[in-house]
Amino acid sequence: MQGQEDINNHAMINTKKINVNDILLMKQEKRKISVLTAYDYHTALLCDKAGVDILLVGDSAGMVMLGYPNTIPVNMEEMLLFSRSVSRGTKRAMIVGDMPFGSYQSNVQEGVENAIHFIKAGCDAVKLEGGIEVIDTIKAIINAGIPVMGHIGLKPQTSILWSGYRLQAKTKDSALKLISDAKALVQTGVFSIVLEMVASEVAELISKNISVPTIGIGSGSSCDGQVLVLHDLLGIYEDIKPKFVKRYAELAKLIFEAILQYNNDVRYGRFPEEQNAFHMSQDEIKELYTALENGF
Ligand code: KIV
């Protein structure tokens, strides 16, 4: 039975902290890598317990947790708060902190300093968007001893300013550019690369021809691993529903119904019930009333 087999596999997951070598080994051994976003202590606990390999403190937190319209406004202070929270709930998974827009674009030094902040907040690595244009920054961060996950294809922080969220590498020229970016990132020393909304054929080509794992999102099944925004797969975040998301639950409906019931129960006096209340002893009550009758 598939479900039972999955649970047994899960029970066998050891609790040793996953590091860069483990992730590289997974590609060599053709073991798929599971990655999910996490922004808080409780969901980190659950993802870690379920055996997710990498928890990405994604800048999607800006949209999902803070209600910004896209990933541009979220800042370092906010991302570090999410990172600390995730780190407190995680024992086994590798934690990757997503560098927000503006934290590494101005100059290399600032990029390194901000990457260090993520590590101090409990992350094990950082991710930043971009190919050849951010190579110097990635090199400097790796030289500071910090593992870097690349991110090419759709780059939500800047794609929205140019063309919106669209499929990438649809043409020969754009595919060649993406392949050059991937090779440059590998040469610089990244330990994995997110491929976002890349035509499946190109994602497959890249995955087969580079030595580090590719982590796909909307880039087909040939990538070495997959990442999704947790709130998308749980059906909590309903503002945008990309085609590449698989909904494993419809939690927004469940949560809404529970809140609605609570609201009505309070309004009509059905909550709290006797089982939710605390009481004084009969003796204390008697003494209290006597004291009140005697004017204290
Ligand atoms: O911020 C994010 O959630 C991401 C991924 C989905 C790749 O960057």
Side-chain angles (χ1 to χ4, degrees):
M1 214 169 74
Q2 186 57 48
Q4 192 55 46
E5 210 173 278
D6 288 348
I7 293 167
N8 291 343
N9 284 343
H10 163 239
M12 283 188 295
I13 291 167
N14 68 38
T15 48
K16 178 189 142 311
K17 179 84 179 166
I18 294 189
N19 59 31
V20 168
N21 278 342
D22 298 319
I23 299 296
L24 294 171
L25 199 65
M26 286 175 83
K27 173 157 181 139
Q28 285 166 27
E29 294 180 349
K30 297 194 178 354
R31 278 186 286 145
K32 294 275 188 184
I33 301 162
S34 75
V35 186
L36 268 181
T37 61
Y39 317 115
D40 67 281
Y41 170 76
H42 284 288
T43 45
L45 266 182
L46 294 175
C47 293
D48 200 45
K49 194 172 161 194
V52 175
D53 300 307
I54 300 180
L55 298 186
L56 172 65
V57 187
D59 61 356
S60 49
M63 299 169 72
V64 172
M65 301 295 283
L66 301 176
Y68 294 134
N70 51 52
T71 56
I72 292 179
V74 70
N75 61 32
M76 276 299 295
E77 198 190 330
E78 291 159 338
M79 291 302 297
L80 293 178
L81 191 68
F82 295 128
S83 300
R84 286 188 204 102
S85 179
V86 168
S87 121
R88 285 191 283 267
T90 310
K91 286 196 182 80
R92 172 186 174 268
M94 170 187 259
I95 305 173
V96 177
D98 203 4
M99 298 191 65
F101 185 63
S103 69
Y104 59 95
Q105 285 87 354
S106 309
N107 62 68
V108 170
Q109 183 60 26
E110 198 180 8
V112 176
E113 280 166 15
N114 283 324
I116 290 172
H117 286 310
F118 272 103
I119 302 302
K120 284 186 182 280
C123 293
D124 306 301
V126 296
K127 171 170 91 56
L128 49 125
E129 292 181 11
I132 288 162
E133 71 279 12
V134 289
I135 284 296
D136 289 344
T137 306
I138 291 181
K139 203 178 278 173
I141 295 174
I142 294 174
N143 282 343
I146 299 171
V148 175
M149 173 184 268
H151 181 154
I152 52 175
L154 180 77
K155 295 169 281 183
Q157 293 176 2
T158 47
S159 294
I160 192 154
L161 301 171
W162 294 85
S163 53
Y165 301 149
R166 290 190 183 174
L167 179 65
Q168 306 291 304
K170 276 195 305 189
T171 62
K172 179 200 77 183
D173 288 345
S174 57
L176 289 174
K177 161 83 175 86
L178 202 71
I179 292 168
S180 310
D181 279 336
K183 285 188 171 158
L185 289 177
V186 175
Q187 262 173 13
T188 312
V190 299
F191 73 94
S192 60
I193 303 178
V194 168
L195 297 179
E196 181 158 357
M197 276 189 82
V198 170
S200 301
E201 296 76 8
V202 181
E204 182 173 2
L205 248 177
I206 294 176
S207 303
K208 283 191 172 149
N209 286 288
I210 63 173
S211 54
V212 305
T214 56
I215 309 294
I217 174 161
S219 300
S221 59
S222 303
C223 295
D224 302 297
Q226 295 292 328
V227 57
L228 278 182
V229 170
L230 180 68
H231 291 61
D232 284 341
L233 80 85
L234 294 179
I236 299 180
Y237 186 70
E238 294 182 307
D239 298 7
I240 303 173
K241 200 174 175 181
K243 172 182 158 172
F244 55 74
V245 169
K246 179 171 172 185
R247 284 266 170 98
Y248 288 81
E250 295 292 345
L251 288 197
K253 282 196 190 79
L254 281 181
I255 294 171
F256 178 73
E257 275 160 22
I259 295 169
L260 202 63
Q261 271 186 36
Y262 166 79
N263 193 47
N264 286 335
D265 281 357
V266 170
R267 188 149 294 154
Y268 296 109
R270 293 191 294 257
F271 176 83
E273 295 173 47
E274 182 50 32
Q275 60 188 348
N276 310 117
F278 301 94
H279 293 288
M280 285 175 105
S281 70
Q282 286 303 321
D283 288 349
E284 285 296 331
I285 295 173
K286 248 189 228 152
E287 282 185 33
L288 173 64
Y289 276 92
T290 310
L292 286 171
E293 277 161 21
N294 296 336
F296 294 72

